[in-house]
Amino acid sequence: MRKYVIMGVQGSGKGTQSKLLAGDLDLVHISVGDIFRWHVKTHTKLGAQVRRLVAAGELVGDDLVEDVVRDRLQLHDWNFGFVIDGFPRNRRQAEFFLESYDIDGVIHLDLPDDEVRRRVLARRLCSRCGMDYNLIAHRPEAEGRCDVCGGELVTREDDAPDALARRLRDYHSKIDPVIELFRRKEYVMTIDARADKVTVQQTIRARFNLPPYDPAWTGEPAQLPG
């Protein structure tokens, strides 16, 4: 069984790298962000609360995050292990996690703030079907329109420059100490996240002595149910 935590600032590719890692290794990808987005999309009470926080450029409260992660891990559907992103968010959560679960390592995707801004401010979302685009790496065929449904592409509420600046400050104040805690326990492998996604994935696997990634693999990784 393999159990990993993946950490990195917004735009560093945590979701992409988690899915590539989980896919052919039969790991479950647990994304705290995906869980909260599901609540927003289905208009739950928690979703409404998350939407207000995101629109204000704030992070979801620590207690809510910890409860969501605990409930998700209690499903015990991760027979071969998991890769979790979006958690832990502070030192207390990191200590809880280390006490509750043994892990094989922490993947730290290192990305400079100026590159974060370049990537995040280029993101677009289809207002109709929710398809993700990035004007750097995944431009639509028709400018401003979704290739799938023709819907208008809009900027995410939480991708405004001011909101991003607040999140970066909050990230460094809370997450940098968590990475240091993990590093003192010799769990952390820091990976340069500026390279293309396949190179980053191959680097992760090499550092953790995992089988090389096959770019031709077309299976689907284990996903969050529902």
Side-chain angles (χ1 to χ4, degrees):
M1 184 178 292
R2 301 179 173 111
K3 298 190 286 294
Y4 301 104
V5 172
I6 188 165
M7 305 187 74
V9 70
Q10 183 179 18
S12 61
K14 296 189 302 296
T16 297
Q17 295 304 325
S18 296
K19 291 174 183 176
L20 294 178
L21 187 65
D24 58 336
L25 297 177
D26 292 323
L27 307 179
V28 172
H29 172 212
I30 299 174
S31 168
V32 175
D34 284 350
I35 296 173
F36 283 126
R37 278 188 285 273
W38 179 88
H39 280 280
V40 170
K41 185 177 181 180
T42 53
H43 304 288
T44 66
K45 183 177 179 180
L46 175 59
Q49 185 176 356
V50 171
R51 188 177 180 87
R52 287 193 299 271
L53 291 169
V54 168
E58 299 176 8
L59 294 175
V60 177
D62 297 328
D63 290 339
L64 280 178
V65 175
E66 191 168 333
D67 288 344
V68 164
V69 170
R70 183 184 292 107
D71 291 344
R72 179 64 186 89
L73 290 175
Q74 285 177 350
L75 293 178
H76 290 292
D77 59 341
W78 31 278
N79 296 329
F80 296 98
F82 59 75
V83 52
I84 183 168
D85 74 71
F87 186 87
R89 290 268 304 278
N90 58 35
R91 186 184 180 91
R92 185 195 71 183
Q93 292 177 358
E95 291 172 344
F96 152 77
F97 197 71
L98 288 172
E99 291 171 358
S100 304
Y101 303 94
D102 59 305
I103 59 174
D104 295 291
V106 175
I107 303 161
H108 173 217
L109 299 177
D110 187 32
L111 194 68
D113 286 357
D114 58 349
E115 179 64 11
V116 173
R117 285 187 284 269
R118 188 179 79 92
R119 292 186 182 187
V120 170
L121 296 179
R123 298 195 305 192
R124 297 294 184 271
L125 181 72
C126 176
S127 58
R128 185 182 299 170
C129 71
M131 183 75 174
D132 284 312
Y133 290 85
N134 187 294
L135 301 184
I136 298 171
H138 181 202
R139 298 186 67 89
E141 293 183 6
E143 186 173 354
R145 292 290 169 183
C146 177
D147 294 338
V148 177
C149 72
E152 181 184 4
L153 300 186
V154 298
T155 301
R156 295 171 182 262
E157 289 180 304
D158 58 336
D159 282 353
D162 289 347
L164 176 59
R166 287 193 295 271
R167 286 202 307 280
L168 282 171
R169 288 194 298 270
D170 201 35
Y171 172 85
H172 289 299
S173 67
K174 289 185 176 181
I175 303 301
D176 288 357
V178 173
I179 293 173
E180 281 304 311
L181 174 63
F182 282 135
R183 184 172 284 121
R184 287 199 296 272
K185 296 181 180 295
E186 300 183 352
Y187 283 125
V188 179
M189 290 289 186
T190 296
I191 309 294
D192 187 345
R194 291 174 295 181
D196 64 89
K197 65 181 182 181
V198 172
T199 299
V200 172
Q201 179 67 197
Q202 298 289 30
T203 303
I204 291 171
R205 293 185 179 222
R207 298 287 293 276
F208 284 98
N209 297 315
L210 296 171
Y213 171 66
D214 180 3
W217 183 83
T218 58
E220 289 295 328
Q223 293 291 326
L224 178 73

